[in-house]
Amino acid sequence: MAIEQVKISVGDLQRGMFVSRLDRPWTRTPFALQGFYVRDLEEIRQLQKYCRYVYVDVHKTVGSAGATLRRLIGSGASAKGQGRTVSRVTIPCRPVTVTHKAYPPPQPAQREAGNARKLHGQILRGMGEVMGLVASNRPLPVQPMNRVVEDLVESVLRSPDAFAWLARVRDRDEHTYSHSVRASIWAVLFGRHIGLARHELVQLGVATLLKDVGKLAIPAEVLQVKQRDPRAELEYRKFVQHSVQMLSADAQVDPQVINIVRGHRERHDGGGYPDGLRGDKIPVLARMCGIVTFYDEATNPRGASQPIAPSRAVADLYDLRGIAYQEQLVVEFIQAIGLYPTGTQVELSSGEVGVVVEQTYDRRLRPKVMIVLDAHKRQLSKPRLFDLAAAEDRAEKLIQSGKMRPEEKVSIVRDIEPGAYPEVNTTAVRDNYLFKSGGQLSRFFSRLAR
């Protein structure tokens, strides 16, 4: 992907400019890992301490500085005398081989749900044990974790939706390491979608689970602060090296797992850490780990921050394609999870509100939805399962026979920010769709409504 940038002397920097590259690796400076806006003179002084020139993203630059840069480029005028030259940077990166039908069609989520829940509990307990052992400087239980991830892979190969539910819902008793567990599930789902071999799925799953063990070596005040100053940011970034060192100390850890952990914070344009790798230099599985890490951090932010709707997280991820993440892999990940992942609250064109309970894998915009609120946003006494794909097929026949107008077809119009409708209990929908019969489900929601 070509990125339009201006090479500019740090002495010519202005507020509103978006610094996208430096004249040295980001890892040798305390600045943000994916670029940043120049907000004040102090940031310009900081840049002057480390750099002679930087690259400014023309299209992201705002205010009068942005207007000036775009005018210069539009006129074709040379600005070298002002320390500015326009450059287009193409980041070399070979396409990743993708095989979408490497595995059989998924089984219904309800068939795999019990096994998935059992495995999910084992993974959470295993991660609790891992964190406890790391904190006391004792060896990691590598082989047990490998075995449970192998079971996770087999479960996801049978039914991605069963584990997607467990990654999507934020339980009240979740632990600090739940991010790694959720991200590992997304990673295996992603890998299944593009047709990774089983051993690669296990490597990716294990690496995503263990990528953050080094954070136990980072001071709590650095981990927990929302806005880190440059010094704290440099300290925080050391967690990757700590994770690599901890895993490398165990001869049983697959070297590929260590490579994924080492590279998962690298960025497509070289703006990541610890080594400032770009494009093809970043291992493919590490690129995938980076994408799922971004997605889960957006939809399940640390601390008291409110999670955002999947569509917003996907939009943010899409905006970073070709910059922070390889464009092909971004598109494949979005296709893997769907625009409305399992567990997402959605509003239909009918005005009703429900929760996506299962995907239709050949028609991602037409999942199965459990409708919980009517068109007036009142809770239904008996929730209704609505299969959008089947409904569309019926609607097309009626439209062709003249018995329905095209605009009467029911579709998803938007997904809903978590918490927008407190009466929609996504966890209850999950548990009762996956683990209870239809009659029990109706009785459960009748009690809930009272």
Side-chain angles (χ1 to χ4, degrees):
M1 178 178 176
I3 305 170
E4 198 162 54
Q5 300 176 104
V6 172
K7 178 182 175 182
I8 186 168
S9 166
V10 290
D12 288 332
L13 283 171
Q14 300 175 32
R15 283 181 294 183
M17 289 183 171
F18 187 89
V19 177
S20 56
R21 290 178 59 205
L22 308 178
D23 61 0
R24 66 204 61 232
W26 290 90
T27 52
R28 298 180 189 172
T29 75
F31 302 114
L33 60 145
Q34 291 176 9
F36 62 96
Y37 283 99
V38 176
R39 295 170 295 182
D40 51 41
L41 292 176
E42 180 56 32
E43 288 185 334
I44 294 176
R45 294 191 190 100
Q46 284 288 321
L47 279 165
Q48 290 171 342
K49 290 181 183 179
Y50 291 91
C51 307
R52 290 186 298 110
Y53 62 87
V54 298
Y55 292 87
V56 172
D57 187 305
V58 174
H59 299 293
K60 287 188 176 182
T61 294
V62 297
S64 59
T68 300
L69 291 178
R70 287 186 283 275
R71 186 171 63 253
L72 284 170
I73 290 171
S75 66
S78 171
K80 290 185 179 180
Q82 302 173 36
R84 301 169 186 165
T85 57
V86 176
S87 63
R88 288 182 180 272
V89 180
T90 301
I91 300 168
C93 198
R94 292 182 297 275
V96 175
T97 301
V98 171
T99 308
H100 285 145
K101 295 186 178 180
Y103 298 102
Q107 298 177 7
Q110 290 159 317
R111 187 181 302 174
E112 184 64 22
N115 186 51
R117 182 162 64 174
K118 178 181 176 182
L119 285 173
H120 188 250
Q122 291 176 356
I123 295 171
L124 283 172
R125 289 191 294 273
M127 283 303 295
E129 183 181 352
V130 165
M131 293 302 183
L133 292 172
V134 170
S136 58
N137 294 314
R138 293 162 62 194
L140 298 175
V142 175
Q143 291 308 313
M145 291 305 294
N146 275 335
R147 285 194 292 271
V148 77
V149 172
E150 288 170 0
D151 290 339
L152 160 65
V153 166
E154 293 302 322
S155 178
V156 169
L157 291 180
R158 289 190 293 269
S159 177
D161 271 309
F163 257 104
W165 260 118
L166 300 171
R168 190 64 192 98
V169 174
R170 227 180 167 190
D171 289 321
R172 293 179 182 177
D173 63 345
E174 71 172 17
H175 304 282
T176 55
Y177 46 77
S178 287
H179 157 68
S180 294
V181 175
R182 287 189 305 266
S184 183
I185 294 170
W186 293 127
V188 176
L189 288 169
F190 187 8
R192 183 197 195 280
H193 170 75
I194 69 171
L196 291 182
R198 277 175 165 82
H199 74 277
E200 292 176 308
L201 291 172
V202 173
Q203 290 168 339
L204 180 59
V206 171
T208 310
L209 267 180
L210 300 179
K211 65 187 174 60
D212 291 335
V213 293
K215 288 184 178 180
L216 290 177
I218 303 297
E221 60 270 19
V222 173
L223 283 178
Q224 294 168 4
V225 67
K226 287 187 177 180
Q227 295 292 333
R228 301 184 187 95
D229 61 27
R231 188 182 300 275
E233 178 63 27
L234 282 178
E235 183 65 26
Y236 170 77
R237 294 181 186 183
K238 292 179 182 177
F239 87 85
V240 176
Q241 290 101 312
H242 291 314
S243 295
V244 168
Q245 289 168 3
M246 292 174 184
L247 296 173
S248 299
D250 190 329
Q252 293 182 309
V253 177
D254 187 332
Q256 179 70 338
V257 167
I258 297 172
N259 287 336
I260 298 168
V261 172
R262 189 194 310 274
H264 83 281
R265 286 287 181 171
E266 301 290 356
R267 294 296 177 256
H268 187 66
D269 63 355
Y273 58 90
D275 300 314
L277 301 180
R278 304 174 70 209
D280 279 336
K281 300 298 183 182
I282 308 169
V284 172
L285 299 187
R287 295 176 223 165
M288 296 173 68
C289 184
I291 288 172
V292 300
T293 297
F294 173 90
Y295 179 78
D296 190 72
E297 288 178 345
T299 52
N300 292 278
R302 175 182 288 273
S305 301
Q306 284 297 314
I308 63 175
S311 62
R312 277 189 55 196
V314 163
D316 291 346
L317 179 60
Y318 192 71
D319 285 345
L320 293 171
R321 72 196 190 283
I323 301 171
Y325 308 104
Q326 183 182 357
E327 182 167 6
Q328 180 199 10
L329 287 179
V330 167
V331 172
E332 290 293 344
F333 177 69
I334 294 170
Q335 291 176 355
I337 65 170
L339 187 58
Y340 308 111
T342 302
T344 302
Q345 296 181 25
V346 293
E347 182 174 355
L348 305 182
S349 55
S350 61
E352 297 165 307
V353 172
V355 179
V356 175
V357 293
E358 197 155 357
Q359 298 292 321
T360 304
Y361 278 86
D362 56 346
R363 294 154 79 178
R364 291 287 186 162
L365 296 179
R366 301 288 184 269
K368 294 179 181 178
V369 176
M370 185 66 70
I371 298 176
V372 181
L373 306 182
D374 66 16
H376 302 287
K377 308 304 185 281
R378 296 174 302 205
Q379 194 164 38
L380 296 175
S381 59
K382 290 185 178 181
R384 178 166 55 93
L385 183 63
F386 188 67
D387 186 332
L388 281 160
E392 183 178 56
D393 292 341
R394 291 193 297 270
E396 288 296 336
K397 292 179 180 178
L398 291 173
I399 291 169
Q400 291 174 8
S401 64
K403 297 178 180 179
M404 176 185 272
R405 297 191 302 273
E407 60 270 22
E408 292 178 319
K409 280 199 306 185
V410 178
S411 61
I412 295 175
V413 294
R414 67 185 181 103
D415 58 353
I416 299 169
E417 298 286 347
Y421 294 103
E423 58 269 45
V424 179
N425 188 332
T426 304
T427 303
V429 172
R430 174 195 69 180
D431 291 346
N432 287 275
Y433 176 72
L434 293 179
F435 305 116
K436 295 188 178 183
S437 66
Q440 289 172 305
L441 180 61
S442 297
R443 289 193 294 274
F444 173 83
F445 278 100
S446 295
R447 291 196 302 272
L448 190 64
R450 292 197 294 270

